[in-house]
Amino acid sequence: MADLKSESGDEYEIERGFTFEAVVAEELAPVSEEAIAAPLNEEQARDARTQELESVDFYIAQGYADIAVDTLDLLERQFGSHPDIDLRRASA
């Protein structure tokens, strides 16, 4: 590290050799492969489906039927058929 002095005489230290990637790597906690592969429990799946269905409601309200249908297709593949998905599909 280099020591520098400001015009007022305060000392500064400059750290050399750090990169953006190194800073990001320090900030982001590693995620284990088990956590990534772990299936959602029933409550987590319901919460995720509900959140996505709220997005679908927004898409429908804004007139984005194509995005709504694509999202519903994705939800059905991810969570299986569900009456809430069918209801919104009829609205889209």
Side-chain angles (χ1 to χ4, degrees):
M1 283 193 228
D3 290 332
L4 297 177
K5 291 193 180 204
S6 69
E7 291 177 15
S8 64
D10 296 334
E11 289 189 16
Y12 297 111
E13 287 187 11
I14 298 176
E15 183 176 345
R16 302 200 187 276
F18 85 93
T19 64
F20 176 76
E21 291 81 9
V23 172
V24 171
E26 287 179 17
E27 295 295 322
L28 297 176
V31 177
S32 69
E33 289 185 27
E34 295 87 24
I36 293 170
L40 297 176
N41 67 36
E42 192 172 320
E43 183 179 343
Q44 290 171 322
R46 185 187 67 239
D47 291 346
R49 184 179 59 240
T50 299
Q51 184 175 2
E52 289 300 321
L53 287 171
E54 288 172 1
S55 296
V56 170
D57 291 339
F58 172 80
Y59 300 145
I60 292 170
Q62 297 301 313
Y64 300 126
D66 54 338
I67 298 172
V69 170
D70 289 345
T71 304
L72 291 168
D73 292 342
L74 178 79
L75 285 172
E76 198 163 51
R77 284 193 303 271
Q78 186 174 0
F79 299 109
S81 62
H82 191 276
D84 289 340
I85 293 172
D86 297 336
L87 179 67
R88 283 159 177 87
R89 193 180 301 280
S91 301

